[in-house]
Amino acid sequence: MTRKKLLTIGTFDGVHLGHRALFTRLEQLCVKYQMRPKVLYFPYPPKTILSPRPEMSVLSTPPEKKELLKKLALPAEELNFQMYREYSAENFFKKVLLQKYNGGAILAGPDFAFGKNRQGNGDFLKAKCAQLNIPLEIMPFYDGEDGSKISSSLIRKTLAQGDIPTANLMLGRPYSLEGRVVAGQKLGRKIGFPTANLDINFYKLLPLGVFAVKVRLGRKFYRGICNIGFRPTINTIQSVIPLVEVHILDFKGSIYGRRMEVFFCDKIRSESKFDSLDALKRQLAQDKKTASALID
């Protein structure tokens, strides 16, 4: 007889400390009930897919989320939201959780809901699981060091406000983004601060400003400055999505076409419009010193 699975299902955007506490509890309950764990997740939050303005709304892209879950060594499977979006809570519970994935027990977060119009909430689960004698546990929010309830939405808000250290604490790791280096207008090179322009996933949340960052190229790490914005001083860009430019400190070499991962350490300042190129160059020189101090 096939062993039953203890299921948890969610979006797990950012795979933050709260999610990891849930996964730890999942493993504990698997021992208790002698079941196998299974993590089911949506690659993008359903509200992102349904939003008229979905840009810059996720902490982790599908490849990033897949890698983060892989590191936790738990069996995880991606769910196709479009396939299930019209399922009622009743159908999703019966046909997906019980029949397709052989669910024998369920662990859920405090605010998770499934099925059309989010009808499969905590009350629905309690009633159905009690009716079928299926073990159910709904975990409370995980508290941060300051007592705040850690959630993906709070981390998004914190990043948007530029509070990188607090966001990193809630994530349990530095916030990062990854993209391929693409050709730009080479304006930074003309003023002595060459930058790499990154092609970033449309949905990835991008905090605005100038940041001290660590940069990974292949297996090597470097210190750097990342500017995310609309370049108000030189050739302002007219776009909904800001430009991501990275200056690697004390680095020479062509990296066009290579993939780069950027890890955020702290915010240096907001993006500003300068009266002259000389004023911009002086500020960039100061940013370089600030970044070095923050990263060290």
Side-chain angles (χ1 to χ4, degrees), residues 154-268:
L154 178 59
I155 296 173
R156 293 186 205 107
K157 182 180 177 181
T158 304
L159 283 169
Q161 292 170 342
D163 188 354
I164 303 302
T166 299
N168 288 350
L169 280 174
M170 290 189 285
L171 283 166
R173 59 184 172 83
Y175 185 64
S176 64
L177 54 84
E178 185 176 7
R180 191 171 301 280
V181 180
V182 296
Q185 297 179 322
K186 300 180 175 62
L187 298 174
R189 185 178 300 177
K190 293 177 182 177
I191 59 173
F193 287 88
T195 59
N197 288 13
L198 293 188
D199 183 20
I200 303 296
N201 183 297
F202 174 80
Y203 297 102
K204 180 75 173 181
L205 189 149
L206 300 174
L208 298 178
V210 181
F211 303 88
V213 298
K214 286 185 178 179
V215 177
R216 182 179 66 79
L217 279 170
R219 295 184 177 181
K220 292 187 176 181
F221 285 83
Y222 304 88
R223 297 175 303 167
I225 302 168
C226 180
N227 186 94
I228 302 178
F230 301 93
R231 207 163 52 195
T233 303
I234 314 173
N235 288 15
T236 302
I237 63 169
Q238 305 296 327
S239 171
V240 174
I241 307 297
L243 188 66
V244 178
E245 301 174 287
V246 180
H247 171 69
I248 306 175
L249 274 55
D250 308 313
F251 178 86
K252 290 182 179 180
S254 176
I255 53 175
Y256 289 124
R258 293 185 63 182
R259 294 200 70 81
M260 175 189 293
E261 191 168 11
V262 178
F263 301 88
F264 290 77
C265 299
D266 209 342
K267 185 172 182 176
I268 298 174

Side-chain angles (χ1 to χ4, degrees), residues 22 25 29 32-33 105-109 134-140:
L22 184 83
R25 184 60 181 156
L29 291 175
K32 177 180 178 180
Y33 294 115
I106 296 173
L107 173 66
I134 293 173
L136 166 70
E137 183 170 314
I138 297 178
M139 274 190 69

Side-chain angles (χ1 to χ4, degrees), residues 4-29:
K4 291 285 187 180
K5 293 186 175 67
L6 205 155
L7 305 176
T8 189
I9 175 172
T11 299
F12 307 122
D13 189 26
V15 192
H16 54 64
L17 290 182
H19 297 141
R20 281 184 245 176
L22 184 83
F23 299 146
T24 297
R25 184 60 181 156
L26 180 70
E27 291 179 307
Q28 293 170 346
L29 291 175

Side-chain angles (χ1 to χ4, degrees), residues 80-116:
N80 185 330
F81 172 69
Q82 298 296 354
M83 183 184 298
Y84 298 120
R85 61 181 296 179
E86 295 300 323
Y87 273 45
S88 66
E90 183 77 29
N91 273 347
F92 190 88
F93 181 82
K94 181 180 177 182
K95 294 182 179 180
V96 180
L97 299 184
L98 300 190
Q99 294 178 4
K100 182 174 182 177
Y101 290 103
N102 195 28
I106 296 173
L107 173 66
D111 57 351
F112 180 70
F114 58 85
K116 193 171 182 180

Side-chain angles (χ1 to χ4, degrees), residues 13-159:
D13 189 26
V15 192
H16 54 64
L17 290 182
H19 297 141
R20 281 184 245 176
L22 184 83
F23 299 146
T24 297
R25 184 60 181 156
L26 180 70
E27 291 179 307
Q28 293 170 346
L29 291 175
C30 281
V31 174
K32 177 180 178 180
Y33 294 115
Q34 292 296 292
M35 295 182 186
R36 293 180 178 176
K38 186 73 171 182
V39 177
L40 303 174
Y41 70 95
F42 293 105
Y44 288 108
K47 65 181 179 181
T48 291
I49 301 300
L50 299 174
S51 171
R53 293 292 304 273
E55 68 276 2
M56 299 196 299
S57 59
V58 304
L59 299 171
S60 49
T61 64
E64 290 170 343
K65 188 183 299 182
K66 185 176 182 179
E67 187 62 28
L68 287 165
L69 290 169
K70 183 180 176 181
K71 288 178 180 177
L72 297 174
L74 280 171
E77 187 172 330
E78 185 177 292
L79 295 175
N80 185 330
F81 172 69
Q82 298 296 354
M83 183 184 298
Y84 298 120
R85 61 181 296 179
E86 295 300 323
Y87 273 45
S88 66
E90 183 77 29
N91 273 347
F92 190 88
F93 181 82
K94 181 180 177 182
K95 294 182 179 180
V96 180
L97 299 184
L98 300 190
Q99 294 178 4
K100 182 174 182 177
Y101 290 103
N102 195 28
I106 296 173
L107 173 66
D111 57 351
F112 180 70
F114 58 85
K116 193 171 182 180
N117 299 322
R118 293 176 57 83
Q119 292 174 341
N121 55 21
D123 290 338
F124 172 89
L125 278 173
K126 288 173 186 175
K128 293 301 295 184
C129 289
Q131 179 186 340
L132 298 171
N133 199 28
I134 293 173
L136 166 70
E137 183 170 314
I138 297 178
M139 274 190 69
F141 279 109
Y142 183 82
D143 290 344
E145 291 185 356
D146 62 353
S148 60
K149 310 296 184 185
I150 292 179
S151 67
S152 299
S153 57
L154 178 59
I155 296 173
R156 293 186 205 107
K157 182 180 177 181
T158 304
L159 283 169

